[in-house]
Amino acid sequence: MSAPAKRSVTITLDGSNKSTTLPLLSGSVGPDVFDIRKLYADLGVFTFDPGYGATASCDSKITYIDGDEGILLYRGYPIEQLAENSNFLEVCYLLLNGELPTETEGKAFELGVMRHTMLHEQLRTFYNGFRRDAHPMAVMCGVVGALSAFYHDSLDIHDAESRRISAFRLIAKLPTIAAWAHKYTIGQPFVYPRNDLTYAENFLYMFHAVPAEEYKVNPILSKAMDLIMILHADHEQNASTSTVRLAGSTGANPFACIAAGIASLWGPAHGGANEAVLKMLEEIGHVDNIKAFLADVKDKDNHTKLMGFGHRVYKNYDPRAKIMQKACHDVLEELGIKGDPLLDLAVELEKIALSDPYFVERKLYPNVDFYSGIILKAMGFPVSMFTALFAVSRTVGWVSQWKEMIEDPAQRIGRPRQIYTGAPKRDFVPASQRS
Ligand code: ACO
């Protein structure tokens, strides 16, 4: 819980004799927040904050972002240190449990997760219900939601062991579900998971392998995959995480909640941005066209956005974008891809945008998605899989946040209010009397 109030805010309602004193709560780091829970009872008014830009919706110990400084911490550890020294399953343990595992704990956790990589065989038949050209995110929304129809034994959200098993199942099965969505689209047989591989290796194996040939996982690609997964693992109360929490606050089961998170992630303003960045770069096509493109972006009537730029919280360089940019160069170099035209275009676009007053004044910097599409493309993923990969990586964040919420004794159903601006109460008029 947040620290008890040392300071407070007193609000007096103009034109009335009503006032209230609201406590200021402090977290371990970051700005204080004032607790408005008794505002309506004391003053009879609500707060108005569309988009929740000024509202803390919960108390959380998992991830901290300082958007002005460009800092991202998972359980206190800087993302740069985790990206450099850790691996994805260790980060999963950290996010779920609050501490880095000892070697024994880490091995037991890995074994626990990897034991759950297979899907119930009946789930295979779900895929046949989709068109072959279905977007992988559409397939994932459906198949992940359907997990709740298969794993009845771990649906009791009030039982710690059920929560643990559901967390394992979700983290373990998402790569299988995503890889099979791809296999279904291209008409290749589903490849069953291999638990002797690491989490990232197993995903690449299920995605790329075919039964007819031996497939060896390229260590450069598995290292990059692991890094991408770490960078996307959690990001505090973003749209999809808030969706998961809101769905979970009703008591819905974790599989249904994660399906809701996947739906929310899909949008181009959120996880769909990596796909949108690549499409944008392909549309721009050449550095000579950047100026005209940016003119469109700056034209208010045009509704064109510079995808992969801007962030609700970061008003500085997204620390994940810096790591991703370096990884992108490294991977392309190690794969022997020299002078990738899309990367060259992205670097030039970034340079021009960062010196353009429109972006400077609005503090618009590259976010994690600006470079992730280029690296994923180089790794052989089709554009339509980009957001699905994000969903695979973010599942641990969603599950950790859901679990934290369920374990919070103060948890109650999420239920925002509104300013009603529609018609006041009026009487029904029969159709014959309507003008
Ligand atoms: N291109 C051009 N202008 C932009 C962009 C952009 N990418 N992002 C913000 N702006 C402008 C807005 O038009 C607004 O201008 P105004 O003050 O003249 O009206 C100003 O910057 C402030 O932007 P808001 O829309 O208020 O910022 P908000 O916090 O609501 O939106 C968002 C954040 C959705 C991420 C936005 O920056 C955006 O759409 N970016 C492109 C999509 C993207 O890359 N999304 C990925 C985010 S990271 C993630 O989810 C993993």
Side-chain angles (χ1 to χ4, degrees):
M1 275 300 288
S2 36
K6 294 193 193 84
R7 296 183 298 152
S8 57
V9 174
T10 299
I11 298 176
T12 305
L13 200 60
D14 281 354
S16 80
N17 57 359
K18 286 182 181 172
S19 84
T20 185
T21 297
L22 305 171
L24 266 177
L25 305 179
S26 301
S28 42
V29 268
D32 289 347
V33 300
F34 69 94
D35 179 349
I36 57 162
R37 279 175 289 186
K38 65 188 187 85
L39 190 72
Y40 181 64
D42 288 358
L43 299 186
V45 297
F46 292 121
T47 53
F48 182 58
D49 183 20
Y52 313 114
T55 299
S57 60
C58 64
D59 206 276
S60 181
K61 293 185 171 65
I62 302 175
T63 293
Y64 174 73
I65 303 172
D66 182 331
D68 295 325
E69 296 298 322
I71 291 170
L72 169 61
L73 311 176
Y74 291 167
R75 299 281 190 182
Y77 295 103
I79 190 67
E80 295 82 359
Q81 291 184 24
L82 293 169
E84 181 75 26
N85 304 307
S86 192
N87 62 64
F88 181 66
L89 276 186
E90 192 173 71
V91 167
C92 289
Y93 184 99
L94 174 70
L95 289 170
L96 278 167
N97 300 303
E99 297 297 334
L100 285 166
T102 60
E103 279 183 22
T104 318
E105 287 165 341
K107 280 198 183 111
F109 181 76
E110 189 173 341
L111 203 69
V113 170
M114 296 308 283
R115 280 269 162 82
H116 289 280
T117 52
M118 287 198 298
L119 299 184
H120 190 293
E121 197 58 15
Q122 192 66 20
L123 266 169
R124 280 180 68 109
T125 60
F126 269 65
Y127 286 82
N128 294 333
F130 290 98
R131 280 170 54 135
R132 289 276 174 186
D133 61 356
H135 194 287
M137 287 295 277
V139 176
M140 288 183 63
C141 287
V143 178
V144 173
L147 292 177
S148 39
F150 285 82
Y151 300 103
H152 296 138
D153 58 333
S154 66
L155 294 185
D156 180 0
I157 61 166
H158 301 298
D159 174 55
E161 185 56 12
S162 286
R163 291 196 296 272
R164 194 180 71 86
I165 299 293
S166 287
F168 278 7
R169 284 180 168 151
L170 280 158
I171 296 166
K173 293 181 199 303
L174 259 285
T176 316
I177 293 171
W180 285 13
H182 171 66
K183 289 294 190 194
Y184 181 74
T185 300
I186 60 171
Q188 285 184 0
F190 294 149
V191 176
Y192 286 87
R194 267 186 46 196
N195 295 351
D196 58 323
L197 299 176
T198 68
Y199 190 87
E201 285 170 349
N202 176 51
F203 178 65
L204 293 173
Y205 167 74
M206 290 188 291
F207 191 86
H208 291 297
V210 288
E213 287 171 14
E214 195 194 347
Y215 175 78
K216 280 216 170 82
V217 181
N218 179 334
I220 298 168
L221 299 190
S222 62
K223 193 167 161 250
M225 190 76 255
D226 196 79
L227 174 75
I228 292 168
M229 287 172 164
I230 292 175
L231 296 183
H232 287 90
D234 194 45
H235 212 229
E236 212 248 35
Q237 308 311 321
N238 55 80
S240 56
T241 302
S242 297
T243 302
V244 169
R245 278 192 180 251
L246 196 56
S249 78
T250 69
N253 74 69
F255 303 109
C257 296
I258 301 309
I262 292 171
S264 172
L265 185 75
W266 195 355
H270 190 14
N274 50 15
E275 185 173 336
V277 168
L278 217 79
K279 285 187 180 149
M280 172 189 78
L281 291 173
E282 277 160 359
E283 267 168 39
I284 298 173
H286 194 274
V287 284
D288 291 350
N289 303 328
I290 291 177
K291 257 196 173 157
F293 173 74
L294 289 182
D296 284 348
V297 168
K298 290 187 268 181
D299 176 0
K300 280 273 166 221
D301 298 327
N302 205 304
H303 301 295
T304 305
K305 284 243 156 99
L306 175 51
M307 300 311 287
F309 256 65
H311 196 274
R312 171 57 61 80
V313 182
Y314 292 119
K315 302 301 167 200
N316 200 326
Y317 218 107
D318 177 341
R320 301 167 303 170
K322 271 191 196 149
I323 302 169
M324 197 67 92
Q325 186 198 40
K326 185 177 176 306
C328 195
H329 283 285
D330 292 351
V331 166
L332 292 184
E333 200 181 308
E334 287 184 69
L335 290 176
I337 304 173
K338 291 212 172 72
D340 179 73
L342 283 188
L343 180 60
D344 294 346
L345 183 58
V347 170
E348 194 56 25
L349 181 57
E350 178 191 344
K351 207 166 84 191
I352 296 174
L354 287 179
S355 58
D356 184 316
Y358 176 94
F359 298 95
V360 175
E361 280 159 17
R362 289 169 177 77
K363 298 188 176 169
L364 299 171
Y365 291 86
N367 59 53
V368 67
D369 288 325
F370 193 68
Y371 285 102
S372 63
I374 298 170
I375 195 169
L376 291 172
K377 181 169 175 274
M379 289 169 71
F381 291 106
V383 174
S384 62
M385 276 303 293
F386 292 179
T387 314
L389 276 163
F390 192 160
V392 169
S393 319
R394 181 55 59 83
T395 295
V396 65
W398 291 329
V399 172
S400 304
Q401 300 269 352
W402 168 82
K403 185 171 161 289
E404 180 179 67
M405 179 188 69
I406 299 295
E407 290 169 4
D408 179 354
Q411 185 266 324
R412 50 203 295 247
I413 188 169
R415 178 38 170 108
R417 301 301 302 256
Q418 63 170 12
I419 301 184
Y420 175 67
T421 54
K425 182 171 180 281
R426 51 185 169 164
D427 290 325
F428 180 81
V429 181
S432 58
Q433 292 169 29
R434 289 174 210 155
S435 49

